[in-house]
């Protein structure tokens, strides 16, 4: 069976798991649906004659039992956002599996493990890459206790209930880490390239900003006597856009993704508005300028409008540079194979970034249709996954 047909078959097995009526997928981290995804991939690996084990945080590793020495990880995740797509994360896991299967079939002495990392998506608890952060020393137990879902259940409680450790042992003996991922942007498609080699990964600062004013009758309260929290919030949302645009040349971006307005009814002046803000960049100083401008502006708006303003940073991780040697080697490999490519930064975060303190990390992007991701419209060509695998495979064989 060709690599293409095999990958199509594997995607077909996973396609029905966590599928919604509209065709999108909801495979949230540390849920039964994520478990089913992992079980399905483990099932495929069993058929390929491979072995697997789970670590204390619930991450799964597939391998061929080749010794206890240093090994290469090819990893990604199987969870999705609510109403996400089928390619985010899954592409990287199946790419790893394809490569490991080849190694096993050809009885090569190349120690590789496929890593499936838990809860990469932050959409419910606000913390991304939980599984990979925990085993690389990038996440404190206290943060898991603080992070809770809309039902006020903490991530700590969920993990403990499922029998996982919230302070697991660190991962050891890593030689190098690779991840293949859909780009989740439009750059490769616009340039007509099948492959990107990632140079650096942007990281977010996430913050809550809450404006509190007076909740009043919308008919009986004259315009000059109002303390409308939503109008203050609106002013900040547009200012945030400006601060982001000012850093365009440094590739920082700023988004207000959440607006929770109270009481959110026709006939009441809003009394409390909570904004969830995400500011990202590959240049830490540029990103910090956006954060500080936002904090200052929020305080100024509150002062001007007689509102109360509370600001808290929920999470903050550092942008990372990926291994330059590996970038060069992957570029050379692609060149040798005649695969057009470019070196590019990643605007989205990935499990890969948390391994950079432990070993050299290389990352490969493949295009996704119109750059759409975290949506049912998310689509990548399996042929491009095969192309990415060719580069990784050749690199592993010749390095
Ligand atoms: Zn992903």
């Amino acid at each position: 069976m060709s690599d293409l047909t095999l990958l199509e078959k594997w995607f077909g097995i996973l396609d029905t798991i966590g599928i919604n009526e509209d065709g999108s997928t909801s495979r949230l981290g540390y849920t039964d649906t994520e478990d089913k995804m992992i079980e399905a991939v483990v099932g495929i690996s069993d058929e390929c004659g491979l072995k697997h084990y789970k670590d204390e945080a619930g991450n799964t590793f597939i391998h061929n039992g080749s010794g206890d020495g240093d090994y290469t990880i090819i990893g990604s995740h199987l969870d999705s956002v609510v109403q996400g797509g089928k390619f985010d994360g899954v592409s990287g896991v199946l790419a790893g599996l394809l490569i490991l299967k080849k190694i096993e079939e050809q009885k090569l002495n190349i120690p590789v493990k496929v890593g499936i990392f838990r809860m990469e998506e932050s959409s419910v608890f606000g913390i991304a890459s939980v599984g990979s952060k925990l085993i690389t020393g990038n996440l404190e137990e206290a943060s898991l206790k603080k992070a809770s879902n809309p039902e006020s259940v903490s991530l700590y409680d969920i993990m403990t209930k499922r029998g996982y450790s919230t302070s697991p042992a660190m991962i050891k003996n890593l030689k190098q880490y690779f991840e293949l991922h859909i780009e989740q942007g439009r750059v490769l498609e616009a340039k007509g390239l099948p492959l990107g080699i990632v140079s650096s990964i942007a990281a977010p600062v996430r913050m809550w900003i809450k404006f509190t004013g007076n909740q009043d009758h919308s008919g009986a309260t004259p315009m000059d006597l109002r303390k409308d929290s939503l109008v203050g919030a609106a002013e900040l949302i547009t200012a945030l856009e400006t601060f982001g645009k000012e850093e365009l040349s440094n590739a920082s971006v700023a988004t207000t993704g959440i607006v929770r307005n109270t009481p959110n009814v026709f006939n009441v002046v809003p009394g409390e508005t909570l904004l969830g803000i995400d500011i990202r960049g590959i240049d830490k100083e540029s990103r910090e300028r956006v954060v500080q401008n936002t904090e200052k502006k929020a305080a100024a708006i509150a002062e001007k409008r007689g509102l109360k303003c509370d600001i808290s940073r929920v999470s903050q991780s550092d942008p990372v540079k990926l291994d330059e040697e590996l970038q060069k080697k992957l570029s050379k490999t692609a060149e040798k194979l005649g695969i057009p490519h470019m070196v590019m930064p990643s605007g989205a975060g990935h499990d890969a970034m948390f391994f950079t303190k432990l070993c050299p990390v290389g990352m490969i992007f493949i295009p996704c249709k119109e750059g759409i991701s975290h949506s049912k419209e998310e689509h990548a060509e399996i042929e491009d996954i095969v192309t990415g695998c060719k580069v990784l495979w050749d690199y592993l064989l010749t390095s």
Side-chain angles (χ1 to χ4, degrees):
M1 203 182 281
S2 75
D3 291 349
L4 185 80
T5 317
L6 195 60
L7 281 171
E8 277 170 353
K9 187 181 145 198
W10 290 351
F11 269 102
I13 294 170
L14 302 178
D15 266 359
T16 54
I17 302 169
I19 194 99
N20 300 311
E21 257 174 42
D22 65 356
S24 62
T25 59
S26 297
R27 302 161 173 168
L28 301 180
Y30 290 113
T31 62
D32 293 346
T33 314
E34 191 193 31
D35 284 344
K36 275 186 200 151
M37 287 293 285
I38 296 167
E39 279 160 26
V41 170
V42 164
I44 297 169
S45 75
D46 284 345
E47 279 177 31
C48 300
L50 298 165
K51 301 175 170 57
H52 69 275
Y53 63 89
K54 214 169 243 188
D55 72 7
E56 295 171 323
N59 302 309
T60 297
F61 295 87
I62 299 170
H63 62 107
N64 65 352
S66 60
D68 296 326
D70 289 359
Y71 56 90
T72 298
I73 284 198
I74 304 176
S76 203
H77 60 97
L78 293 175
D79 66 315
S80 78
V81 298
V82 177
Q83 295 183 311
K86 293 174 184 168
F87 294 89
D88 179 356
V90 180
S91 303
V93 170
L94 295 184
L97 197 55
L98 185 74
I99 289 168
L100 184 57
K101 181 177 181 283
K102 277 179 195 288
I103 292 172
E104 173 63 10
E105 279 170 356
Q106 300 184 23
K107 299 289 171 217
L108 299 170
N109 183 25
I110 306 173
V112 165
K113 292 184 185 181
V114 177
I116 303 170
F117 302 105
R118 287 279 187 163
M119 194 182 270
E120 193 271 345
E121 301 293 356
S122 62
S123 43
V124 177
F125 291 91
I127 308 180
S129 303
V130 174
S132 53
K133 272 182 185 166
L134 279 171
I135 58 165
T136 53
N138 282 293
L139 185 57
E140 301 288 325
E141 196 176 58
S143 307
L144 299 174
K145 288 184 176 166
K146 256 202 281 175
S148 56
N149 63 16
E151 290 80 45
S152 301
V153 185
S154 76
L155 184 50
Y156 174 87
D157 286 341
I158 286 175
M159 286 185 66
T160 313
K161 224 179 176 178
R162 289 184 164 259
Y164 298 124
S165 168
T166 48
S167 50
M170 294 266 286
I171 191 164
K172 281 190 200 133
N173 299 341
L174 293 184
K175 183 185 175 203
Q176 55 194 351
Y177 176 101
F178 290 111
E179 184 164 354
L180 176 148
H181 205 281
I182 56 168
E183 182 202 338
Q184 302 178 292
R186 294 182 186 85
V187 178
L188 288 175
E189 191 182 61
K191 293 191 185 279
L193 295 172
L195 189 85
I197 289 160
V198 181
S199 55
S200 50
I201 304 178
V205 170
R206 296 220 168 98
M207 52 210 280
W208 291 115
I209 298 187
K210 185 166 83 180
F211 287 104
T212 313
N214 286 343
Q215 186 176 317
D216 285 314
H217 195 292
S218 69
T221 316
M223 293 310 286
D224 59 344
L225 294 181
R226 294 181 179 209
K227 289 182 177 176
D228 185 327
S229 60
L230 182 60
V231 189
E235 210 178 307
L236 187 66
I237 292 171
T238 51
L240 180 73
E241 187 195 30
T242 308
F243 300 146
K245 281 183 175 164
E246 283 167 2
E247 298 293 332
L248 192 64
S249 61
N250 295 312
S252 291
V253 289
T255 309
T256 305
I258 301 175
V259 179
R260 287 191 194 136
N261 187 47
T262 313
N264 215 32
V265 292
F266 272 118
N267 58 353
V268 179
V269 178
E272 189 182 288
T273 308
L274 181 70
L275 301 179
I277 289 172
D278 175 298
I279 299 166
R280 300 189 193 210
I282 45 172
D283 177 334
K284 212 172 156 186
E285 281 169 24
S286 158
R287 185 185 72 174
E288 191 55 29
R289 273 195 296 277
V290 181
V291 171
Q292 290 196 4
N293 283 339
T294 306
E295 288 175 346
K296 271 186 227 152
K297 184 71 181 179
I301 292 168
E303 168 85 35
K304 183 178 78 179
R305 294 182 170 273
L307 304 168
K308 189 171 162 281
C309 171
D310 298 293
I311 301 174
S312 63
R313 291 197 191 188
V314 196
S315 66
Q316 175 164 348
S317 45
D318 290 342
V320 296
K321 285 199 164 62
L322 300 189
D323 192 74
E324 279 185 29
E325 267 314 292
L326 276 187
Q327 282 171 49
K328 278 185 210 151
K329 287 175 181 169
L330 290 172
S331 284
K332 268 196 178 155
T333 307
E335 237 161 71
K336 188 180 88 182
L337 297 172
I339 299 166
H341 61 280
M342 67 181 287
V343 175
M344 62 194 295
S346 169
H350 299 289
D351 290 304
M353 61 201 295
F354 305 103
F355 290 86
T356 50
K357 281 182 194 150
L358 303 182
C359 64
V361 171
M363 211 174 161
I364 278 180
F365 270 170
I366 58 160
C368 60
K369 195 177 156 222
E370 290 168 31
I372 299 169
S373 182
H374 290 184
S375 151
K376 71 173 164 70
E377 308 298 339
E378 181 182 282
H379 181 77
E381 294 300 331
I382 296 189
E383 210 181 309
D384 290 331
I385 303 178
V386 174
T387 301
C389 285
K390 271 186 194 152
V391 175
L392 281 179
W393 172 245
D394 194 88
Y395 174 75
L396 287 172
L397 280 185
T398 53
S399 65

